[in-house]
Structures are given as structure tokens and as C-alpha cells.
Amino acid sequence: MNTAAIPARQLICLLQDTAAGQTADLAAVELLARHNHFLHIPQFRRVIAAGASVLTGEPVVTIRWQAAITALEAGRLPATGSEQAVLRIAASIGDHDIPVHLREVLGSLDHRNIALVAAAITQANG
């Protein structure tokens, strides 16, 4: 499955379906979906893995969070400071091995993005 060819709305649904039942994973996906930037750009779509469930054959789509952060740090993802902060927070929620330094990222967020981040943290907490 080529994630670049999937319409954004369908991709979001597939990501949500794959993350369903995993509170933090779903919160991270929904933060990016509500933020409405990364899931629309081809460079980010390259860090999304797609396949099929071995049990059901249904599509399985997941964000490779470490690959996303690596691409961001290498300058391969076009993003403002605020967009970078949202991605770093989402990645930290979605992958427990990715730390985020809140002091460094929160200062670049406007009121809308602070609200999105707060909602994602609340959702991840169950």
C-alpha cells in the first residue's frame, strides 16, 4: 500500500483504526490529524508504514515516530517552529522512547496548538 496515494481523510481513519485500543497511540495520531499539517505532506507520508494484518488481512497503517523525528532533525520535513513542536510532542506521546523537552517546545505554540496538545495529553491519560 502506497501511503502517498491515500487521501488524507482515509489515511487518518486507517491510522486511527490501527491505534484503536491503545490510548497514547490514538492520542498521538489524533493530535497530528487535528493539527492538520504533517499528514498532508509527501515528506511525512514516507515515515508512515503500511501493511496488512496477519489475522484479518485488513490494512494496518502506523507512523514510524523515530523516523519522523530523524527526518525533522535532518531538515527533510518542512515545518515551522510551532509545527515542529507539535510533531515532537505527538512523537513523544506515540513512542515512549522519544523524549520531549517541554520547556523547549511549549514556548513556540499558539493558543490553538496549546489546546490541541492539552487535549492529546488528556486523551493519552485515559
Side-chain angles (χ1 to χ4, degrees):
M1 177 184 313
N2 178 5
T3 60
I6 301 171
R9 187 72 234 148
Q10 183 181 357
L11 180 62
I12 291 166
C13 289
L14 290 168
L15 287 164
Q16 289 169 323
D17 287 349
T18 301
Q22 301 167 7
T23 310
D25 293 344
L26 187 57
V29 165
E30 290 185 353
L31 172 56
L32 286 191
R34 291 180 184 124
H35 182 255
N36 203 31
H37 173 69
F38 288 102
L39 296 175
H40 298 279
I41 61 173
Q43 296 91 330
F44 187 79
R45 299 268 187 120
R46 292 184 192 119
V47 302
I48 298 174
S53 168
V54 294
L55 298 175
T56 65
E58 294 294 317
V60 176
V61 180
T62 188
I63 298 168
R64 295 179 304 122
W65 294 110
Q66 189 57 60
I69 295 301
T70 300
L72 183 68
E73 290 174 351
R76 294 191 311 265
L77 290 178
T80 66
S82 179
E83 291 163 345
Q84 289 180 33
V86 169
L87 179 57
R88 289 181 187 283
I89 293 166
S92 183
I93 293 170
D95 183 337
H96 62 83
D97 289 329
I98 299 176
V100 66
H101 300 283
L102 292 176
R103 183 176 182 162
E104 294 176 16
V105 297
L106 292 179
S108 66
L109 299 178
D110 60 19
H111 291 291
R112 176 185 176 271
N113 287 323
I114 285 284
L116 292 175
V117 167
I121 290 169
T122 302
Q123 180 180 358
N125 193 42

